[in-house]
Amino acid sequence: MRDISGTKISDTRAVSHLSRLSLVIAVCASALLSVVGPTQAAPAKDPLPADIPDYQAALDAVKSTDVRNAVCRFLRTPVPTDSAGGPVQTIPETAEPCQGLPLFTIKDPVALNEITPGFVAGTTPPLPTEAIKLTQLVSSLSTTVNGRNVTVMLAPTQGGGWHLAAVRDGDSDAAHAGKATLGTFVFTEPQIRGWYQLKLTTVEPINDQAREGLGGQASVSLSDYQKLVKARYADKLPGSEYDTKGYSSGYSLQPTDDDGPSSALLLASGSGTALALVGGAALLHRRRRASVR
């Protein structure tokens, strides 16, 4: 038996400190994993993302013939040269929409997380579980097709599962969302198209819009980030004077778009029926309004 000495006391304190630190890390990790709701048990030989419910349904959707055909119809339609207010181009129905196009696959979808209304309003605490939520899934193509990059967007289906919501030009959303790593989350502030990485309770910018949104800072605490977005949007939430006067509930530090001018294929109620090809700004407008509801 060792004598009771300063060395032994020091060792005991070190072990105690390490135990407390391990507990804090475990609690934080658990909080992060619960951000987007109930998790799905993953098969041992084919693990699925624990932060995306019904992920197998999402995989089935992006690999389905209907979604692939929708992407092919989109790729066959020229990008509109006019702005969002220009004439709508209808998408012709063809028996084999993918015939003659280069071969491509749709990548596995990744989570698109957005800031929550409560976080923006300041009515919820600055915690990862309160700050962001899963709103959609995004995928991109394995290769460019006729010089175009494409994003496939999935929305949750009532009662479970996922369905095709839209197809749009550009792949920046999927590229940014795919930067999430084990123990971190990526989320967007859609009003300025800013993308951030959340590491426990630290927010770091990913793109130029996010860096501008943080005032050029390399990182801020989640608490300080909440103050920034509250100042930007709290008076523009649904029900506010800004909203009731008919203005968009989005906000822009300056008009920017990672992918530049784009187009989007909007689908009817997730049914898979293509309606029209319209300017990408219309889709962005819809996403901006939805993000603060």
Side-chain angles (χ1 to χ4, degrees):
M1 180 181 294
R2 290 192 301 166
D3 293 335
I4 299 177
S5 63
T7 300
K8 184 177 181 180
I9 293 174
S10 176
D11 290 344
T12 302
R13 288 176 176 171
V15 171
S16 177
H17 174 73
L18 183 59
S19 298
R20 289 196 300 271
L21 180 59
S22 299
L23 178 60
V24 170
I25 293 174
V27 170
C28 290
S30 177
L32 280 173
L33 288 175
S34 64
V35 167
V36 292
T39 59
Q40 175 177 321
K45 294 184 179 181
D46 186 21
L48 304 179
D51 59 333
I52 300 176
D54 298 324
Y55 190 72
Q56 185 60 54
L59 288 175
D60 293 342
V62 297
K63 297 179 187 303
S64 69
T65 300
D66 286 346
V67 169
R68 185 177 182 82
N69 286 343
V71 171
C72 290
R73 287 195 296 270
F74 176 84
L75 291 169
R76 285 188 178 280
T77 307
V79 178
T81 56
D82 295 326
S83 62
V88 173
Q89 299 183 30
T90 58
I91 298 177
E93 286 289 342
T94 57
E96 298 291 340
C98 296
Q99 186 174 7
L101 289 177
L103 294 177
F104 66 88
T105 58
I106 303 174
K107 295 180 182 178
D108 292 352
V110 293
L112 192 157
N113 299 301
E114 297 185 9
I115 51 178
T116 66
F119 181 76
V120 171
T123 57
T124 58
L127 298 173
T129 52
E130 304 290 346
I132 64 175
K133 66 177 180 180
L134 176 67
T135 57
Q136 291 180 315
L137 302 181
V138 289
S139 304
S140 58
L141 304 187
S142 59
T143 184
T144 59
V145 178
N146 296 340
R148 295 169 71 177
N149 294 311
V150 167
T151 292
V152 177
M153 308 180 73
L154 303 180
T157 301
Q158 186 174 5
W162 298 87
H163 62 266
L164 180 62
V167 179
R168 66 186 297 268
D169 267 309
D171 61 355
S172 65
D173 284 355
H176 292 323
K179 292 183 178 180
T181 61
L182 183 64
T184 72
F185 277 93
V186 167
F187 69 93
T188 180
E189 183 183 333
Q191 295 84 355
I192 62 171
R193 292 192 62 80
W195 285 87
Y196 306 84
Q197 190 168 46
L198 178 61
K199 299 179 179 179
L200 294 181
T201 58
T202 299
V203 176
E204 298 180 359
I206 290 178
N207 64 353
D208 290 340
Q209 291 90 326
R211 280 183 280 274
E212 186 179 357
L214 297 186
Q217 299 180 83
S219 66
V220 298
S221 68
L222 189 57
S223 178
D224 285 342
Y225 176 69
Q226 183 178 37
K227 294 175 184 176
L228 291 173
V229 294
K230 181 179 179 181
R232 286 202 277 268
Y233 316 122
D235 61 345
K236 300 174 179 65
L237 291 167
S240 66
E241 182 180 4
Y242 187 87
D243 178 56
T244 56
K245 285 185 176 180
Y247 295 107
S248 166
S249 52
Y251 179 92
S252 180
L253 299 177
Q254 63 182 34
T256 56
D257 191 322
D258 284 354
D259 294 317
S262 74
S263 55
L265 170 68
L266 303 184
L267 303 177
S269 303
S271 65
T273 304
L275 290 183
L277 187 68
V278 299
L283 175 63
L284 181 57
H285 174 79
R286 288 178 54 195
R287 287 187 60 202
R288 284 174 174 170
R289 294 193 64 84
S291 67
V292 292
R293 293 190 180 280

